[in-house]
Amino acid sequence: MGMYHIKDVEHLSGIKAHTLRIWEKRYNIIVPKRTKTNIRYYDDEDLKKILNVSLLNKNGYKISKIVGLSNSRLKNEILRLSQHSGNLDAQIGYLITAMIDFDKPAFEKIFSSSIMNLGFQETILKVIYPFFKRIGILWLTGNIDPAQEHFISNIIRQKIIVAIDSLPEFPRNNTENFVLFLPDGQWHEMGLLLCSYLIKKNGHNDLYLGGSLPLESLMNIEHNVPFKNIVTTVSFSKSDEEVKKEILELATKFDSKNIFIGGLHDETAFDGMPGNIHFMQNLDDFNDYLVQITQKNLNVNLN
């Protein structure tokens, strides 16, 4: 189903392209396919094999030993590694394999194990968000089938929504309110949902508006709901110039708000943005900000 170029495999596995080629020639680990125009590529089975081999190699297994393992033994070793609370890379790799195979029980096993060892919030920060970051480039290049994307995204989406619903609501006038939305024509909400969970977990309220909201509608909301912060993500399909234009318009129309923007792969292309724009490099940074304002509000209330 999938069709992955060597750079895709390098990004997902962490194995450099030249190392992979050496493994192919010396150990015959995998035989890449060729398109009609003689461009090499890897399919789903190839990717899973490379992921498993790279994870074992990173965990001290010699490549000469790995090549002698059967596929079932290889899979069992990866499962053992992924169930160890400290081996986050193995957990992420196992989730990628579960996505490729549409294997819900495998996903549930690792997700539950991670929550048991790390808790829900740390699972989101250390496993789920890095997982989406790693496969995000494949969505951009179209090298993941939409069915695979929808399968794994909907499972995670359901779990996050249940976790959000279990958190308490707070009075709007006592908290730092956030508005979360995606610009007109954009629908990938996973990043927003992750932020929504962290906002509520840290004792703040959010007004979750979801995907494809015209900017005019966001401006109308300001007349009815007080808020200090805006959270959104950008579209991979747009050029840097288009994204810059949208960001500047948002920053200008809401110049008194803190605006948090996620989804950028290269933030250096957006240097010189207005001071109210904050690019979210990762969810840890955003969570640190939430913790800081929680503590600030607590100190104010105590005084």
Side-chain angles (χ1 to χ4, degrees):
M1 182 178 293
M3 184 174 176
Y4 311 97
H5 300 299
I6 195 164
K7 283 296 182 183
D8 299 326
V9 175
E10 184 180 60
H11 176 77
L12 286 171
S13 68
I15 300 298
K16 296 296 183 183
H18 73 274
T19 301
L20 183 57
R21 289 192 178 100
I22 291 172
W23 287 359
E24 290 171 3
K25 292 179 180 179
R26 185 175 299 174
Y27 300 104
N28 199 32
I29 282 181
I30 219 77
V31 179
K33 282 71 177 173
R34 296 272 178 179
T35 66
K36 292 180 180 179
T37 55
N38 205 35
I39 297 175
R40 56 192 284 149
Y41 71 92
Y42 304 85
D43 63 15
D44 287 340
E45 292 303 315
D46 297 332
L47 176 59
K48 288 189 295 182
K49 180 71 175 288
I50 294 167
L51 281 171
N52 290 342
V53 170
S54 68
L55 285 169
L56 289 183
N57 185 245
K58 289 175 186 176
N59 283 275
Y61 289 71
K62 292 183 178 180
I63 191 68
S64 56
K65 179 180 178 181
I66 297 173
V67 296
L69 298 177
S70 65
N71 286 336
S72 60
R73 174 71 185 280
L74 196 64
K75 186 174 182 179
N76 287 336
E77 288 298 310
I78 294 298
L79 178 59
R80 184 182 62 80
L81 287 173
S82 63
Q83 290 180 315
H84 188 278
S85 61
N87 202 321
L88 303 179
D89 199 48
Q91 292 177 35
I92 295 168
Y94 202 84
L95 291 181
I96 294 173
T97 300
M99 178 189 69
I100 293 170
D101 285 341
F102 298 96
D103 191 342
K104 186 176 180 180
F107 171 85
E108 295 283 0
K109 183 179 294 185
I110 295 305
F111 192 83
S112 299
S113 176
S114 182
I115 290 175
M116 185 179 300
N117 290 306
L118 300 175
F120 190 86
Q121 179 168 315
E122 286 301 295
T123 296
I124 292 297
L125 292 172
K126 305 300 185 187
V127 180
I128 299 302
Y129 185 69
F131 162 76
F132 278 113
K133 289 273 283 187
R134 193 175 297 186
I135 65 174
I137 190 67
L138 297 186
W139 294 351
L140 173 61
T141 58
N143 289 332
I144 284 184
D145 189 279
Q148 293 171 327
E149 173 194 342
H150 291 183
F151 163 72
I152 206 73
S153 294
N154 283 323
I155 293 176
I156 296 174
R157 184 175 184 275
Q158 291 167 10
K159 292 183 179 299
I160 295 173
I161 289 173
V162 169
I164 290 172
D165 286 344
S166 70
L167 297 172
E169 294 284 347
F170 297 91
R172 282 179 181 165
N173 58 345
N174 291 337
T175 59
E176 189 103 359
N177 295 316
F178 291 75
V179 168
L180 292 85
F181 85 105
L182 292 179
D184 199 13
Q186 298 183 38
W187 296 99
H188 288 287
E189 297 183 47
M190 191 58 63
L192 285 190
L193 284 170
L194 295 173
C195 289
S196 178
Y197 172 80
L198 292 176
I199 288 166
K200 293 191 69 176
K201 187 71 168 61
N202 281 280
H204 308 294
N205 275 330
D206 70 342
L207 182 62
Y208 191 92
L209 303 176
S212 193
L213 183 78
L215 196 57
E216 293 76 16
S217 295
L218 186 62
M219 294 173 66
N220 291 335
I221 289 170
E222 189 176 20
H223 300 300
N224 300 300
V225 180
F227 62 92
K228 298 179 181 179
N229 309 279
I230 297 172
V231 180
T232 189
T233 60
V234 300
S235 171
F236 291 135
S237 62
K238 295 183 178 180
S239 68
D240 287 349
E241 288 305 314
E242 290 176 305
V243 173
K244 281 182 182 178
K245 183 178 178 181
E246 288 185 353
I247 292 175
L248 287 172
E249 184 178 11
L250 189 62
T252 301
K253 292 185 181 299
F254 296 94
D255 57 354
S256 64
K257 314 297 182 186
N258 294 310
I259 301 172
F260 297 90
I261 299 176
L264 294 174
H265 285 290
D266 181 14
E267 295 175 10
T268 60
F270 298 86
D271 290 340
M273 288 286 108
N276 61 330
I277 296 294
H278 309 281
F279 294 119
M280 294 186 289
Q281 294 184 341
N282 53 61
L283 282 186
D284 284 301
D285 289 344
F286 184 60
N287 189 62
D288 288 343
Y289 171 79
L290 294 170
V291 171
Q292 289 173 14
I293 60 175
T294 300
Q295 187 61 49
K296 179 181 176 180
N297 290 342
L298 179 62
N299 292 337
V300 169
N301 291 333
L302 290 175
N303 292 332

